[in-house]
Amino acid sequence: MKKRWIIASVILLAAAIVAILMYYLDNKKSSEKAPEFVLLYAENQTENYPTTLGGKKFADLVYERTDGRIKIQIKYGAELGSESSVINQMKYGGVAFARVSVSQLAERIPEMNVLLLPYLYDDSAHMWRVLEGDIGDQFLEKAGNYDLVGLSWYDAGARNFYSSDKPITSVEDCEGMNIRVQESTMMADMISALGANPVEIVYSDVYSALEQGIVDAAENNWPSYESMNHYKVAKYYTIDEHVRVPEMQICSEAVWNMLSDSDKEIIKECAEESALYERQLWIQREERSKKKAIESGTLVTALTAEEKKKFRDAMSDVYEKYCGDDMDLVREIIDY
Ligand code: GCU
Protein backbone atom coordinates (compact mmCIF):
# COMPACT_ATOMS: atom_id res chain seq x y z
CA MET A 1 0.00 0.00 0.00
CA LYS A 2 2.77 2.33 1.08
CA LYS A 3 4.71 1.44 -2.09
CA ARG A 4 1.80 2.35 -4.35
CA TRP A 5 1.41 5.63 -2.59
CA ILE A 6 5.07 6.45 -3.17
CA ILE A 7 4.83 5.55 -6.89
CA ALA A 8 1.73 7.72 -7.30
CA SER A 9 3.44 10.66 -5.60
CA VAL A 10 6.52 10.32 -7.80
CA ILE A 11 4.35 10.28 -10.94
CA LEU A 12 2.42 13.32 -9.75
CA LEU A 13 5.61 15.18 -8.95
CA ALA A 14 7.12 14.36 -12.36
CA ALA A 15 3.92 15.52 -14.10
CA ALA A 16 4.01 18.77 -12.12
CA ILE A 17 7.65 19.37 -13.07
CA VAL A 18 6.90 18.75 -16.77
CA ALA A 19 3.90 21.13 -16.62
CA ILE A 20 5.96 23.87 -14.95
CA LEU A 21 8.76 23.39 -17.48
CA MET A 22 6.38 23.59 -20.44
CA TYR A 23 4.74 26.70 -19.01
CA TYR A 24 8.17 28.28 -18.55
CA LEU A 25 9.36 27.39 -22.07
CA ASP A 26 6.12 28.60 -23.57
CA ASN A 27 6.34 31.89 -21.76
CA LYS A 28 9.96 32.29 -22.72
CA LYS A 29 9.13 31.71 -26.37
CA SER A 30 6.38 34.30 -26.42
CA SER A 31 8.51 36.82 -24.56
CA GLU A 32 11.38 36.42 -27.10
CA LYS A 33 11.08 39.24 -29.60
CA ALA A 34 10.63 38.42 -33.27
CA PRO A 35 13.72 39.48 -35.27
CA GLU A 36 13.61 42.94 -36.84
CA PHE A 37 15.21 41.60 -40.02
CA VAL A 38 15.03 38.14 -41.55
CA LEU A 39 17.52 38.12 -44.42
CA LEU A 40 18.35 35.54 -47.07
CA TYR A 41 21.90 34.37 -47.75
CA ALA A 42 22.67 32.48 -50.97
CA GLU A 43 25.29 29.77 -51.29
CA ASN A 44 25.65 27.36 -54.21
CA GLN A 45 27.69 24.71 -52.40
CA THR A 46 26.48 21.68 -50.44
CA GLU A 47 25.44 21.74 -46.78
CA ASN A 48 28.78 20.80 -45.19
CA TYR A 49 31.08 22.55 -47.63
CA PRO A 50 33.55 25.00 -46.01
CA THR A 51 31.91 28.09 -47.51
CA THR A 52 28.46 26.97 -46.38
CA LEU A 53 29.75 26.33 -42.86
CA GLY A 54 31.43 29.74 -42.98
CA GLY A 55 28.08 31.28 -43.92
CA LYS A 56 26.38 29.52 -41.01
CA LYS A 57 29.03 30.78 -38.64
CA PHE A 58 28.43 34.31 -39.98
CA ALA A 59 24.65 33.97 -39.42
CA ASP A 60 25.12 32.66 -35.87
CA LEU A 61 27.54 35.43 -34.94
CA VAL A 62 25.25 38.14 -36.32
CA TYR A 63 22.22 36.71 -34.48
CA GLU A 64 24.14 36.55 -31.23
CA ARG A 65 25.71 40.02 -31.48
CA THR A 66 22.46 41.74 -32.45
CA ASP A 67 20.57 39.95 -29.64
CA GLY A 68 18.43 38.18 -32.17
CA ARG A 69 17.40 41.35 -34.05
CA ILE A 70 19.01 40.18 -37.32
CA LYS A 71 18.34 36.64 -38.42
CA ILE A 72 20.12 35.38 -41.52
CA GLN A 73 18.78 32.30 -43.25
CA ILE A 74 21.37 30.31 -45.19
CA LYS A 75 20.02 28.81 -48.41
CA TYR A 76 22.65 26.44 -49.72
CA GLY A 77 22.80 24.12 -52.76
CA ALA A 78 21.85 26.96 -55.16
CA GLU A 79 18.30 26.96 -53.76
CA LEU A 80 18.05 30.65 -54.67
CA GLY A 81 19.48 30.15 -58.16
CA SER A 82 22.87 30.20 -59.85
CA GLU A 83 25.48 32.68 -58.65
CA SER A 84 24.79 34.89 -61.62
CA SER A 85 21.05 34.99 -60.95
CA VAL A 86 21.66 35.61 -57.23
CA ILE A 87 23.89 38.61 -58.01
CA ASN A 88 21.11 40.02 -60.19
CA GLN A 89 18.53 39.46 -57.45
CA MET A 90 20.78 41.26 -54.97
CA LYS A 91 20.62 44.46 -56.97
CA TYR A 92 17.08 44.87 -55.72
CA GLY A 93 17.57 43.37 -52.26
CA GLY A 94 15.56 40.17 -52.93
CA VAL A 95 18.58 38.29 -51.67
CA ALA A 96 20.51 40.10 -48.95
CA PHE A 97 23.78 38.18 -48.73
CA ALA A 98 25.79 35.71 -50.77
CA ARG A 99 29.15 34.05 -51.09
CA VAL A 100 30.18 34.08 -54.72
CA SER A 101 33.11 33.24 -56.94
CA VAL A 102 34.86 36.47 -57.96
CA SER A 103 34.68 35.35 -61.61
CA GLN A 104 30.95 36.05 -61.44
CA LEU A 105 31.52 39.55 -60.11
CA ALA A 106 34.17 40.15 -62.76
CA GLU A 107 31.54 39.63 -65.45
CA ARG A 108 29.82 42.75 -64.11
CA ILE A 109 32.82 44.62 -62.71
CA PRO A 110 35.56 43.91 -65.30
CA GLU A 111 38.43 45.31 -63.17
CA MET A 112 37.92 42.28 -60.91
CA ASN A 113 39.36 40.04 -63.63
CA VAL A 114 42.79 41.11 -62.40
CA LEU A 115 42.37 38.88 -59.35
CA LEU A 116 41.80 35.74 -61.37
CA LEU A 117 44.45 36.04 -64.03
CA PRO A 118 46.08 32.69 -64.81
CA TYR A 119 49.24 31.86 -62.88
CA LEU A 120 49.12 35.21 -61.09
CA TYR A 121 49.98 34.05 -57.58
CA ASP A 122 52.94 31.84 -56.63
CA ASP A 123 50.85 30.03 -54.06
CA SER A 124 48.04 30.37 -51.54
CA ALA A 125 50.14 32.48 -49.14
CA HIS A 126 50.86 34.96 -51.94
CA MET A 127 47.15 35.31 -52.78
CA TRP A 128 46.29 35.86 -49.12
CA ARG A 129 48.95 38.55 -48.71
CA VAL A 130 47.29 40.39 -51.60
CA LEU A 131 43.71 39.92 -50.39
CA GLU A 132 44.48 40.83 -46.80
CA GLY A 133 46.38 43.97 -47.77
CA ASP A 134 45.35 47.31 -49.30
CA ILE A 135 44.74 45.73 -52.69
CA GLY A 136 42.20 43.32 -51.20
CA ASP A 137 40.41 46.22 -49.48
CA GLN A 138 40.28 48.19 -52.73
CA PHE A 139 38.69 45.22 -54.47
CA LEU A 140 36.08 44.78 -51.72
CA GLU A 141 35.16 48.41 -52.37
CA LYS A 142 34.84 47.81 -56.09
CA ALA A 143 31.80 45.62 -55.34
CA GLY A 144 30.06 48.99 -54.92
CA ASN A 145 30.24 49.44 -58.72
CA TYR A 146 27.44 46.88 -58.95
CA ASP A 147 25.41 48.08 -55.93
CA LEU A 148 26.98 45.47 -53.67
CA VAL A 149 28.99 45.73 -50.48
CA GLY A 150 32.09 43.53 -50.30
CA LEU A 151 32.33 42.08 -46.78
CA SER A 152 35.13 39.52 -46.70
CA TRP A 153 37.23 37.07 -48.70
CA TYR A 154 36.73 33.31 -48.64
CA ASP A 155 39.19 30.68 -49.84
CA ALA A 156 38.58 28.48 -52.88
CA GLY A 157 42.08 27.11 -53.35
CA ALA A 158 43.52 26.50 -56.80
CA ARG A 159 41.69 25.18 -59.86
CA ASN A 160 42.97 22.21 -61.84
CA PHE A 161 41.76 20.36 -64.93
CA TYR A 162 39.97 17.02 -64.84
CA SER A 163 38.82 14.88 -67.71
CA SER A 164 36.75 11.77 -68.40
CA ASP A 165 38.44 9.75 -71.15
CA LYS A 166 42.12 10.55 -71.11
CA PRO A 167 44.46 12.46 -68.83
CA ILE A 168 45.59 15.97 -69.72
CA THR A 169 49.38 15.86 -69.64
CA SER A 170 50.23 18.65 -72.09
CA VAL A 171 48.74 21.65 -73.87
CA GLU A 172 48.46 19.45 -76.99
CA ASP A 173 46.13 17.08 -75.09
CA CYS A 174 43.62 19.93 -74.73
CA GLU A 175 43.36 20.46 -78.48
CA GLY A 176 39.74 20.08 -79.58
CA MET A 177 38.46 19.07 -76.13
CA ASN A 178 35.17 20.51 -74.90
CA ILE A 179 36.01 21.97 -71.51
CA ARG A 180 33.42 23.33 -69.12
CA VAL A 181 34.09 26.80 -67.79
CA GLN A 182 32.30 29.12 -65.39
CA GLU A 183 30.13 31.80 -66.93
CA SER A 184 33.16 34.01 -67.49
CA THR A 185 34.46 35.41 -70.75
CA MET A 186 38.01 35.53 -69.47
CA MET A 187 37.95 31.90 -68.37
CA ALA A 188 36.47 30.98 -71.75
CA ASP A 189 39.32 32.80 -73.50
CA MET A 190 41.87 30.96 -71.37
CA ILE A 191 40.47 27.66 -72.55
CA SER A 192 40.37 28.77 -76.20
CA ALA A 193 44.04 29.74 -75.86
CA LEU A 194 44.79 26.05 -75.20
CA GLY A 195 43.14 25.06 -78.47
CA ALA A 196 40.10 23.65 -76.62
CA ASN A 197 36.43 24.63 -76.86
CA PRO A 198 35.11 26.40 -73.78
CA VAL A 199 31.54 25.48 -72.82
CA GLU A 200 29.92 27.77 -70.24
CA ILE A 201 27.79 25.67 -67.92
CA VAL A 202 26.29 26.58 -64.57
CA TYR A 203 27.94 24.80 -61.62
CA SER A 204 24.98 22.61 -60.66
CA ASP A 205 24.85 21.12 -64.17
CA VAL A 206 28.51 20.18 -64.54
CA TYR A 207 28.11 16.64 -63.22
CA SER A 208 25.48 15.72 -65.81
CA ALA A 209 27.40 17.49 -68.59
CA LEU A 210 30.44 15.31 -67.82
CA GLU A 211 28.34 12.20 -67.40
CA GLN A 212 26.52 12.70 -70.70
CA GLY A 213 29.70 13.58 -72.56
CA ILE A 214 28.51 17.11 -73.35
CA VAL A 215 31.96 18.12 -72.12
CA ASP A 216 35.16 16.07 -71.97
CA ALA A 217 36.67 17.96 -69.10
CA ALA A 218 36.16 20.67 -66.50
CA GLU A 219 38.34 22.48 -63.99
CA ASN A 220 37.91 23.16 -60.30
CA ASN A 221 39.45 22.79 -56.86
CA TRP A 222 39.56 19.46 -54.97
CA PRO A 223 36.57 20.11 -52.66
CA SER A 224 34.27 21.05 -55.58
CA TYR A 225 35.49 18.07 -57.62
CA GLU A 226 34.69 15.77 -54.73
CA SER A 227 31.54 17.31 -53.19
CA MET A 228 29.75 17.59 -56.55
CA ASN A 229 30.71 14.01 -57.44
CA HIS A 230 32.66 15.07 -60.51
CA TYR A 231 35.33 12.54 -59.55
CA LYS A 232 32.84 9.78 -60.33
CA VAL A 233 32.59 10.85 -63.97
CA ALA A 234 36.01 12.42 -64.64
CA LYS A 235 38.74 10.36 -63.04
CA TYR A 236 41.81 12.06 -64.53
CA TYR A 237 42.88 15.05 -62.42
CA THR A 238 45.79 17.19 -63.63
CA ILE A 239 47.45 19.46 -61.12
CA ASP A 240 48.41 22.63 -62.96
CA GLU A 241 46.87 25.25 -60.59
CA HIS A 242 46.11 27.54 -63.53
CA VAL A 243 44.01 29.92 -61.45
CA ARG A 244 43.13 30.83 -57.91
CA VAL A 245 39.71 32.42 -58.00
CA PRO A 246 38.98 33.99 -54.64
CA GLU A 247 35.44 34.20 -53.31
CA MET A 248 33.73 37.17 -51.78
CA GLN A 249 30.98 37.47 -49.19
CA ILE A 250 28.73 40.25 -50.37
CA CYS A 251 25.69 42.18 -49.19
CA SER A 252 23.07 43.89 -51.30
CA GLU A 253 23.51 47.66 -51.07
CA ALA A 254 19.71 48.04 -50.98
CA VAL A 255 19.66 45.98 -47.76
CA TRP A 256 22.85 47.52 -46.39
CA ASN A 257 21.36 51.00 -46.58
CA MET A 258 18.48 49.95 -44.33
CA LEU A 259 20.83 48.98 -41.50
CA SER A 260 22.10 51.24 -38.72
CA ASP A 261 25.80 52.09 -38.58
CA SER A 262 26.31 49.86 -35.56
CA ASP A 263 24.62 46.90 -37.27
CA LYS A 264 26.79 47.47 -40.35
CA GLU A 265 29.83 47.31 -38.13
CA ILE A 266 28.65 44.07 -36.49
CA ILE A 267 27.97 42.49 -39.88
CA LYS A 268 31.35 43.44 -41.27
CA GLU A 269 33.12 42.12 -38.18
CA CYS A 270 31.16 38.82 -38.22
CA ALA A 271 31.86 38.38 -41.94
CA GLU A 272 35.59 38.77 -41.30
CA GLU A 273 35.52 36.31 -38.41
CA SER A 274 33.56 33.79 -40.45
CA ALA A 275 36.13 34.12 -43.23
CA LEU A 276 38.98 33.14 -40.91
CA TYR A 277 36.91 30.14 -39.87
CA GLU A 278 36.21 29.18 -43.50
CA ARG A 279 39.92 29.37 -44.34
CA GLN A 280 40.74 26.83 -41.60
CA LEU A 281 37.98 24.52 -42.77
CA TRP A 282 39.19 24.90 -46.34
CA ILE A 283 42.67 23.53 -45.62
CA GLN A 284 41.22 20.46 -43.90
CA ARG A 285 38.60 19.87 -46.58
CA GLU A 286 41.10 20.13 -49.44
CA GLU A 287 43.06 17.24 -47.92
CA ARG A 288 39.97 15.15 -47.17
CA SER A 289 38.51 15.64 -50.66
CA LYS A 290 41.76 14.79 -52.37
CA LYS A 291 42.13 11.62 -50.27
CA LYS A 292 38.55 10.54 -50.90
CA ALA A 293 38.82 11.05 -54.66
CA ILE A 294 42.13 9.23 -54.93
CA GLU A 295 40.84 6.34 -52.83
CA SER A 296 37.86 6.15 -55.16
CA GLY A 297 40.03 5.82 -58.25
CA THR A 298 41.07 9.33 -59.31
CA LEU A 299 44.38 9.27 -61.19
CA VAL A 300 46.51 12.33 -60.62
CA THR A 301 48.92 13.85 -63.13
CA ALA A 302 51.31 16.50 -61.87
CA LEU A 303 52.56 18.69 -64.72
CA THR A 304 56.30 19.07 -65.07
CA ALA A 305 57.63 22.62 -64.66
CA GLU A 306 58.33 22.71 -68.38
CA GLU A 307 54.78 21.68 -69.30
CA LYS A 308 53.32 24.11 -66.78
CA LYS A 309 55.28 26.89 -68.47
CA LYS A 310 53.65 25.97 -71.79
CA PHE A 311 50.19 26.31 -70.21
CA ARG A 312 51.19 29.63 -68.70
CA ASP A 313 52.59 30.94 -72.00
CA ALA A 314 49.51 29.82 -73.93
CA MET A 315 47.19 31.64 -71.53
CA SER A 316 49.27 34.81 -71.20
CA ASP A 317 47.34 36.72 -73.89
CA VAL A 318 44.44 37.30 -71.51
CA TYR A 319 46.67 39.58 -69.41
CA GLU A 320 46.76 42.21 -72.12
CA LYS A 321 43.20 41.64 -73.35
CA TYR A 322 41.47 41.86 -69.95
CA CYS A 323 43.88 43.81 -67.81
CA GLY A 324 45.86 45.91 -70.31
CA ASP A 325 44.87 49.13 -68.51
CA ASP A 326 45.84 47.72 -65.13
CA MET A 327 49.29 46.33 -65.88
CA ASP A 328 50.90 48.38 -63.07
CA LEU A 329 48.53 46.79 -60.62
CA VAL A 330 49.17 43.35 -62.10
CA ARG A 331 52.91 43.86 -61.61
CA GLU A 332 52.32 45.09 -58.07
CA ILE A 333 50.34 41.92 -57.31
CA ILE A 334 53.00 39.69 -58.83
CA ASP A 335 55.68 41.32 -56.65
CA TYR A 336 53.52 41.55 -53.50
C1 GCU B 1 33.81 26.84 -57.19
C2 GCU B 1 33.16 27.98 -56.49
C3 GCU B 1 31.70 28.13 -56.85
C4 GCU B 1 31.56 28.17 -58.37
C5 GCU B 1 32.21 26.95 -58.97
C6 GCU B 1 32.09 26.88 -60.49
O1 GCU B 1 33.30 25.64 -56.72
O2 GCU B 1 33.26 27.82 -55.10
O3 GCU B 1 31.20 29.28 -56.28
O4 GCU B 1 30.21 28.24 -58.74
O5 GCU B 1 33.57 26.93 -58.60
O6 GCU B 1 32.98 26.34 -61.09
O7 GCU B 1 31.10 27.37 -61.05
Side-chain angles (χ1 to χ4, degrees):
M1 186 64 189
K2 200 173 167 203
K3 206 172 162 196
R4 256 196 236 152
W5 188 84
I6 292 175
I7 294 174
S9 318
V10 169
I11 294 175
L12 266 177
L13 191 69
I17 293 175
V18 170
I20 292 171
L21 210 67
M22 283 174 66
Y23 176 79
Y24 169 78
L25 287 177
D26 227 44
N27 251 2
K28 190 166 176 264
K29 224 189 268 165
S30 55
S31 69
E32 263 172 19
K33 279 204 230 114
E36 251 170 70
F37 296 99
V38 178
L39 303 170
L40 294 178
Y41 180 115
E43 168 59 64
N44 73 347
Q45 301 287 7
T46 50
E47 188 173 8
N48 291 315
Y49 197 86
T51 55
T52 312
L53 296 176
K56 285 184 185 165
K57 176 86 173 174
F58 169 63
D60 288 347
L61 289 172
V62 170
Y63 190 74
E64 204 178 286
R65 293 188 192 164
T66 60
D67 297 319
R69 284 183 301 100
I70 302 184
K71 191 175 167 71
I72 298 170
Q73 293 180 336
I74 309 292
K75 303 287 180 189
Y76 58 86
E79 190 186 328
L80 300 176
S82 67
E83 290 185 312
S84 178
S85 136
V86 161
I87 295 171
N88 291 343
Q89 295 174 60
M90 290 179 84
K91 239 184 176 300
Y92 307 100
V95 175
F97 297 99
R99 185 284 315 159
V100 293
S101 174
V102 168
S103 66
Q104 300 308 290
L105 294 174
E107 282 303 280
R108 296 155 173 90
I109 309 164
E111 302 110 276
M112 291 231 185
N113 275 312
V114 171
L115 293 180
L116 42 133
L117 282 167
Y119 302 103
L120 179 69
Y121 312 102
D122 295 336
D123 51 23
S124 169
H126 181 190
M127 181 188 79
W128 281 108
R129 278 199 303 280
V130 172
L131 297 180
E132 284 180 320
D134 291 349
I135 300 182
D137 289 347
Q138 283 161 29
F139 277 93
L140 286 176
E141 272 173 32
K142 283 188 199 294
N145 297 357
Y146 202 71
D147 302 335
L148 297 165
V149 178
L151 297 175
S152 74
W153 298 105
Y154 271 30
D155 204 353
R159 295 176 80 100
N160 298 299
F161 288 107
Y162 43 90
S163 43
S164 307
D165 298 333
K166 56 166 195 169
I168 295 175
T169 59
S170 62
V171 172
E172 290 75 36
D173 285 337
C174 299
E175 181 89 45
M177 264 191 175
N178 292 328
I179 303 184
R180 178 270 168 171
V181 285
Q182 291 184 276
E183 295 160 282
S184 154
T185 43
M186 188 175 88
M187 300 279 254
D189 275 356
M190 279 163 45
I191 298 300
S192 303
L194 300 174
N197 311 312
V199 186
E200 291 190 18
I201 295 176
V202 67
Y203 186 48
S204 52
D205 293 341
V206 179
Y207 173 86
S208 55
L210 284 164
E211 191 191 28
Q212 291 164 24
I214 295 170
V215 290
D216 309 301
E219 44 84 59
N220 217 321
N221 52 53
W222 282 107
S224 299
Y225 174 64
E226 178 265 311
S227 66
M228 297 302 273
N229 291 324
H230 298 174
Y231 70 101
K232 295 185 179 163
V233 285
K235 71 169 181 175
Y236 299 105
Y237 197 91
T238 299
I239 302 183
D240 70 305
E241 303 196 334
H242 52 279
V243 275
R244 290 183 180 271
V245 183
E247 321 217 302
M248 204 191 275
Q249 250 190 333
I250 47 177
C251 178
S252 153
E253 213 166 69
V255 172
W256 188 254
N257 290 339
M258 296 187 322
L259 301 171
S260 66
D261 285 350
S262 58
D263 282 346
K264 286 178 186 162
E265 221 170 277
I266 292 176
I267 285 176
K268 177 80 180 142
E269 154 196 304
C270 297
E272 281 164 4
E273 279 183 44
S274 77
L276 293 179
Y277 176 68
E278 189 267 348
R279 280 168 62 185
Q280 285 172 8
L281 295 180
W282 182 264
I283 296 169
Q284 298 159 12
R285 181 62 184 254
E286 241 179 0
E287 276 312 306
R288 279 213 317 275
S289 294
K290 182 175 175 178
K291 189 163 177 274
K292 182 172 170 188
I294 293 174
E295 281 173 4
S296 309
T298 289
L299 299 170
V300 180
T301 302
L303 289 186
T304 61
E306 199 187 327
E307 229 15 90
K308 204 163 164 175
K309 186 175 178 305
K310 289 188 193 154
F311 273 81
R312 179 196 295 253
D313 290 347
M315 291 181 181
S316 64
D317 279 358
V318 300
Y319 274 64
E320 188 52 43
K321 177 163 176 196
Y322 287 89
C323 305
D325 295 342
D326 292 318
M327 283 317 275
D328 287 346
L329 177 60
V330 171
R331 274 186 283 274
E332 195 184 338
I333 292 179
I334 289 172
D335 297 336
Y336 211 80

